[in-house]
Amino acid sequence: MSKSDDDNLRPATKLVQGGRRPEWTGDPRLGGSVVNPPVWRASTILYDNIADLEARGHATHDKLYYGRRGTPTVWALADALTGMEPGAAGTLLYPSGVAANSAGLLALLAPGDHLLMVDSAYEPTRAFCDGLLTRYGVTTTYYDPLIGAGIADLITPATKLIFLESPGSLTFEVQDIPAITRVARERGVLTMLDNTWATPLLFPALAHGVDVTMMSLTKYVGGHSDAMMGSLTATKAVWPRLRSAAYQLGQAVSPDDCALMLRGLRTLDVRMARHGENGLAVANWLAARPEVGRVLHPALPGDPGHAIWSRDFGGTSGLFGFTLKGADIAARARFIDALSLFGIGFSWGGYESLVVPGNPIRTATEWTDPDPLIRLSVGLEDPVDLIADLERGFAAL
Ligand SMILES: Cc1ncc(COP(=O)(O)O)c(C=O)c1O
């Protein structure tokens, strides 16, 4: 039991306390404990005798058994993430966010099943549905991110899972998650959410009716652009299926990376507040620029997703988009190439600002905006400097 199991504690406190169980941070023989769960590297676990080995063959998730099933460093991270989602039974860790998404979809779907996938999903999530999942005999229907309770009309007897991503990490539509999970529960369909943008700090997914919540820890949880990992956190009803599939798939994470993720997790609350604040400063400035078509940021009052975002989310991260009015692709490239504080690179959620061009892929809906899209991950630099950098981009148009 760690202190973060106490649901009376506030999220920021849980981030600090999570996973620091006495049995993972101290040893009575050493006469004390350390603050952070040490890095336990292991493949082989040694047993006292055959009786001990046989007894632990039926090990639960958090007993030393074999390296692939984790060590206290791994369990500490999983435990801390579980503590962030009231109602969660456990968390499984994967080598990347994509691995977590794929493992979750494989665990919850079987040949002949039907999946409802949000049209604004992260592109590799779509690629898995159109690729391996299709070969595995699962059919996917993409749906409008703004469908809300209308999802009911797309559910067939074969529908087993509805996948959500909100806001969409390139186009930032906000889904009506409570409306969708309500319909899903009535119809006996499971829901899975890519919650990387918000993290449980801004959106505790299980409390909003989601069955499985996924995060690319590579982004805000790690926060320092130096490690990759993904997580699935689930309700009691779904957890055994995920765990069994994870054991069969055999994906394991490194304890060194878990230590990096735990380090990031401790400061997630303060970093997220600053990412959100800096992002809004930049977004508001962009919104007033004549060269900008629109700013895609749900925390801006004029954004189409603002009402639902205000109702459901506890704050904003620093990832959003904007379009260049009447510009072409070459002008967008000139804009981006002129920036020096915004690095050109994939991923987001690190302490440093990043920029990428965005090219939305749609099949259920149409992306009608003709203006080229740019996505910014606003970091922890002073927004005054970031705005000066963006000025350089506009000067290069
Ligand atoms: C919304 C979203 N989900 C999942 C992922 C995949 O995470 P990873 O890069 O850790 O595989 C990403 C990565 O960019 C993402 O943006």
Side-chain angles (χ1 to χ4, degrees), residues 124-163:
T125 310
R126 296 180 72 103
F128 185 71
C129 297
D130 300 343
L132 275 181
L133 216 48
T134 304
R135 274 174 50 198
Y136 182 63
V138 172
T139 53
T140 300
T141 301
Y142 291 93
Y143 68 88
D144 183 344
L146 304 181
I147 200 166
I151 195 87
D153 298 337
L154 300 182
I155 295 175
T156 73
T159 309
K160 292 289 168 356
L161 183 67
I162 302 170
F163 190 104

Side-chain angles (χ1 to χ4, degrees), residues 131-370:
L132 275 181
L133 216 48
T134 304
R135 274 174 50 198
Y136 182 63
V138 172
T139 53
T140 300
T141 301
Y142 291 93
Y143 68 88
D144 183 344
L146 304 181
I147 200 166
I151 195 87
D153 298 337
L154 300 182
I155 295 175
T156 73
T159 309
K160 292 289 168 356
L161 183 67
I162 302 170
F163 190 104
L164 308 96
E165 180 182 313
S166 183
S169 56
L170 186 59
T171 46
F172 303 96
E173 296 93 336
V174 182
Q175 295 195 253
D176 191 341
I177 298 175
I180 293 176
T181 57
R182 210 173 303 124
V183 170
R185 294 220 162 173
E186 279 164 18
R187 304 284 292 271
V189 176
L190 293 174
T191 51
M192 177 169 163
L193 169 73
D194 184 332
N195 199 27
T196 305
W197 186 90
T199 81
L201 205 52
L202 306 183
F203 187 80
L206 269 47
H208 286 84
V210 170
D211 297 296
V212 181
T213 176
M214 173 272 169
M215 259 194 295
S216 165
L217 305 179
T218 313
K219 314 293 191 257
Y220 284 114
V221 171
H224 294 72
S225 309
D226 53 4
M228 303 196 73
M229 206 177 290
S231 65
L232 294 179
T233 301
T235 59
K236 204 169 166 198
V238 184
W239 166 248
R241 285 167 71 183
L242 290 181
R243 190 170 67 174
S244 160
Y247 284 0
Q248 291 174 61
L249 289 168
Q251 288 171 310
V253 293
S254 128
D256 299 83
D257 287 345
C258 288
L260 288 175
M261 292 301 166
L262 277 165
R263 173 171 290 207
L265 195 68
R266 306 304 178 199
T267 58
L268 182 64
D269 184 56
V270 281
R271 284 187 292 107
M272 203 58 138
R274 185 60 73 91
H275 280 294
E277 204 178 291
N278 287 0
L280 269 176
V282 172
N284 278 312
W285 179 80
L286 284 169
R289 293 290 304 205
E291 305 94 330
V292 169
R294 60 189 176 118
V295 180
L296 291 70
H297 193 317
L300 295 187
D303 189 90
H306 185 70
I308 293 180
W309 174 83
S310 311
R311 183 194 67 188
D312 294 344
F313 286 74
T316 175
S317 68
L319 187 79
F320 67 94
F322 68 99
T323 61
L324 289 175
K325 198 192 298 173
D328 58 14
I329 301 297
R332 175 173 70 181
R334 283 197 302 280
F335 181 94
I336 292 178
D337 287 348
L339 305 178
S340 65
L341 291 178
F342 285 86
I344 304 172
F346 294 113
S347 204
W348 40 279
Y351 61 86
E352 85 294 5
S353 291
L354 289 174
V355 58
V356 281
N359 301 304
I361 300 170
R362 290 298 152 98
T363 49
T365 53
E366 213 182 328
W367 185 253
T368 52
D369 196 328

